Amino acid sequence: LKHYEYLKVNKVQLEEKTKQMDQDYRNRAIGLQNEIAAYQRNVSSMTLGQVRATEEDLGKKQQNLQMYQQSLGQQLMEEEAKLNKQLYDRITVYLKKYGAEKGLQFVFKFDPTSDVLFAGDALDISQDVITGLNAEYQQEKSGVAPKADSTAFKK
């Protein structure tokens, strides 16, 4: 995955969105902190009714800020899940085409978490798949539809 251009581009976009959300949250938190500081500076000159109303208002704003933070976290999780789903779909669609062309029946994931304990280097199709996925992504970015009989798989 670290060599797949589609994922690199989308991760950068997700990171940018995360930074924007984080900055928006920080701005709102600073605004609330400023309101609390202003209240603390002026509390001695306020009536009891004003104090209660201001404290209630600040409490509601603090709750809203916490709910907003949770909402941002949920949005980011949904964005990540959406990206993972798109990534899975793109790779499986490509592997179906690749498998049909190469006569493969199975493609296994081989890493420390997989159930495959050993695989010979001759069986590793990772580089062919990365090359083909990146070629399709570049064609997609340039507005050219990938060819059904793509030669991107050929060595």
Side-chain angles (χ1 to χ4, degrees), residues 11-152:
K11 270 193 161 187
V12 167
Q13 290 173 352
L14 186 60
E15 287 169 2
E16 287 299 317
K17 192 172 201 173
T18 301
K19 286 178 188 175
Q20 288 173 347
M21 289 176 157
D22 189 46
Q23 185 61 46
D24 185 43
Y25 172 75
R26 272 192 255 126
N27 290 343
R28 289 180 185 212
I30 289 169
L32 180 59
Q33 287 174 340
N34 290 340
E35 283 187 54
I36 292 170
Y39 161 73
Q40 290 171 341
R41 282 191 307 270
N42 299 321
V43 73
S44 61
S45 63
M46 300 170 84
T47 67
L48 186 57
Q50 289 174 323
V51 168
R52 286 183 183 153
T54 303
E55 286 178 353
E56 186 177 323
D57 183 51
L58 290 174
K60 286 180 182 177
K61 287 181 178 181
Q62 192 167 17
Q63 285 177 335
N64 287 342
L65 184 62
Q66 289 171 344
M67 288 184 347
Y68 180 69
Q69 183 182 28
Q70 291 172 350
S71 170
L72 291 178
Q74 183 66 31
Q75 284 178 14
L76 287 175
M77 287 188 335
E78 289 171 4
E79 289 287 329
E80 283 185 27
K82 180 180 169 186
L83 176 59
N84 286 335
K85 172 83 168 89
Q86 289 171 344
L87 183 63
Y88 176 81
D89 290 346
R90 293 175 75 90
I91 291 172
T92 54
V93 165
Y94 180 81
L95 286 174
K96 285 178 186 177
K97 290 189 292 187
Y98 183 90
E101 183 174 304
K102 300 290 185 174
L104 301 177
Q105 298 298 314
F106 298 98
V107 175
F108 293 102
K109 176 178 109 173
F110 182 58
D111 66 28
T113 64
S114 74
D115 290 334
V116 179
L117 298 177
F118 173 78
D121 290 342
L123 299 174
D124 188 356
I125 62 170
S126 299
Q127 191 56 51
D128 280 351
V129 170
I130 289 296
T131 301
L133 282 167
N134 284 332
E136 278 192 1
Y137 179 63
Q138 290 303 320
Q139 288 176 342
E140 181 182 305
K141 275 181 33 179
S142 66
V144 178
K147 299 175 188 172
D149 62 341
S150 175
T151 57

